[in-house]
Each structure stands twice: as C-alpha cells, then as structure tokens.
Amino acid sequence: MSENQDPTTPRARRAAGTAARVLLSGGAMGAAALFYGSVVERNAFTVRRATLPVLDASTPALRLLHISDLHLLPGQRRKQAFVRSLADLRPDIVLNTGDTLSSPRGIPALMSALGPLLELPGGFVPGNNDYYVPQFKTPLSYFLPNRPQPATQPRMPWAELSGAMASKGWIDLTHARALLDVGGVRVAVAGTDDAHLRRARYERIAGAADTSAAVRIAVTHSPEPYVLDRFAADGYDLALAGHTHGGQVRVPLGPAIVTNCGLDVWRARGLSDWKGMALNVSAGVGTGPFAPIRIACRPEVSLLTLVPRNSVA
Ligand SMILES: [Fe+2]
C-alpha cells in the first residue's frame, strides 16, 4: 500500500482534515445564508420609488401605491406593522395585485393592517394563492410547466376577503373596468382574474381603454405575456402585476432565476416597457409559508409618482 492510500500517514490525515474543513465551512455558509434569508432579509421591508410620465398633459401628479403578494398570516406582526405604516407615504390611490393572504384566518389581521389605506380610492384582483390554501411543493416545480390545482386542495375564502375589501370602498377589478375619482383626477382601471390558474378571460374587459381618463391602469396578478399584450393593444398606459416575488432568491447583483410565469427573468421585478405600455412588477411583500426566505430580493411595495408625459425629458 502506498502512502497516499494509507489513512494513517500524515499526508492522508492532512487531506482528510482539509476535506472536513471545506465541508464544514460550506455547511456553515449555507446555514448563514439560510438564516439571513429567512430571518433578516425576509423582514427587511422596503419601498421602491419611481416616477412615471404616464398622465395626460396638465394633470396634477398622483402617488400610486402598488401592493402585492402580502401572503399575510395572522401572526406576522412585523409585516402587519409595515403595511400599517404605508399610509404615512400619503398615497392618492392604492392598487393590490393579489396573493393577499396565506391563511384562511387572516382577514381580520389584514383589514387591521390596511387600516387607513382602505379609505383611499383603491382596487384589487385575486392571485392564485387567494383561491387555494397553500400546500408544500418542491422548489423544482417552479421550473416546470404550470399544472392545474388538485380538486381536493382546500379553498381560501376569496369571496369573504374580496367582500371585506369591497365593503370599505375598494373595487373588485376581477374582469371589471371602472373609473375612479382620485382627488378630482379621472383614473381608468381594469383587471383580470388570475392567469396562473388559467382564470383570465380578457374578452370580458376587452376594448379600447377609456380615453376620457387622465391615465389608464391595468391590474393583473400573474404577468403572463398574453394578458399584457391585450392590455397594451387596448391602450393602457401602465400595467401592474405581482406573482414573481422578484425571483425571491436571486443571484446577488444578478438576475432572477425564475419568474414562475411566462415573463422574462430580467423583468421579474421593477419597471420595464411592454410594447409601449409601462409595466411595474412588484417583488411583493411576502413569501409562501413553505418557502419563507428571500435572498438579494427584499420584500417591497412600489410608490409610483405619476406625472404628465411632457414633464420628464
Ligand atoms: Fe405570491
């Protein structure tokens, strides 16, 4: 037997020690990343701000708060406090692009957290997680084609949740168009049901967007390209969506790895142009309860200042 093969030799003992240290340090780095992503960054709520020249000329600026993917659980006090603090941003209008709850028992906590935001002009659409109680699924499933929900999967109380928000004045934009009066400015809004669950029926709201309004805003949960194409073709100025969680776990300083829909990974969060229509994809405030981790993708809401088209060079 050579020295290389003999585990009792000094050289073999040094090699074994190096391998053990590499494994230990790799394990420690993984544990640190897991701790950081699930405890620190998951609760590092932030407000992403941008100015968008989408209003008709001579219209006063509007502050639009876009919230999405709260995935609220009754015990998530820090998240509820963050949502409660958003009224301090003094938005003029609030639009919620779905996946609002992760527990059927979350409605009272949600309504309490939204608080004064519900007194503002607002609207909402459902996300896929507003219809079904969350179930564990392997991370690999995010890379596979979307499959129908099992018929046995327990349902979320969407009718109760949408009724609670609507009772305060927010408009249910599920396959609906509406004209909101936002401090004297006419804002046209329209929304679809969720495309991820194949519930979007764009034909129910199809037609040219309302040109009597100062701005035309589309809302949908999952930013599937075929839905965005229809909104853009109908003349909407801005589309709001969520669902992607911004990729949720990203390569630091790099792109998202997956969007969980047909959207390109570079559009997984933030603003981009979609065939002449501005698109804002929210990285969302929460995570699903079975993957409570965010890395290089802070939980966020968007505060979009809408200004006249001719006011930004
Ligand atoms: Fe979500």
Side-chain angles (χ1 to χ4, degrees), residues 1 26 39 90 93 108 114 125 143 231 245:
M1 178 178 285
V39 176
R90 306 182 72 80
I93 177 174
L114 289 175
V125 288
F143 295 90
F231 278 126
H245 295 192

Side-chain angles (χ1 to χ4, degrees), residues 1-17:
M1 178 178 285
S2 72
E3 182 184 276
N4 284 345
Q5 294 169 307
D6 184 351
T8 64
T9 63
R11 188 172 173 184
R13 285 199 296 273
R14 279 198 302 276

Side-chain angles (χ1 to χ4, degrees), residues 6 10 63 75 83 92 126 132 137 140 143 150 157 164 174 186 208 218 220-221 226-227 255 286 305 311:
D6 184 351
R63 291 158 70 82
V83 174
D92 299 303
Y132 294 96
K137 55 182 185 177
L140 199 61
F143 295 90
T174 312
R186 290 157 66 89
T220 193
H221 178 63
Y226 76 90
V227 176
T305 301
S311 63

Side-chain angles (χ1 to χ4, degrees), residues 68-71 97-102 127-129 221 242-245 248 260 283-284 286-288 294:
S68 196
D69 296 82
L70 293 177
H71 288 275
T97 49
D99 272 11
T100 301
L101 294 182
S102 276
N128 51 306
N129 286 288
H221 178 63
H243 181 69
T244 64
H245 295 192
Q248 195 167 314
N260 198 21
T287 68
R294 279 181 178 265

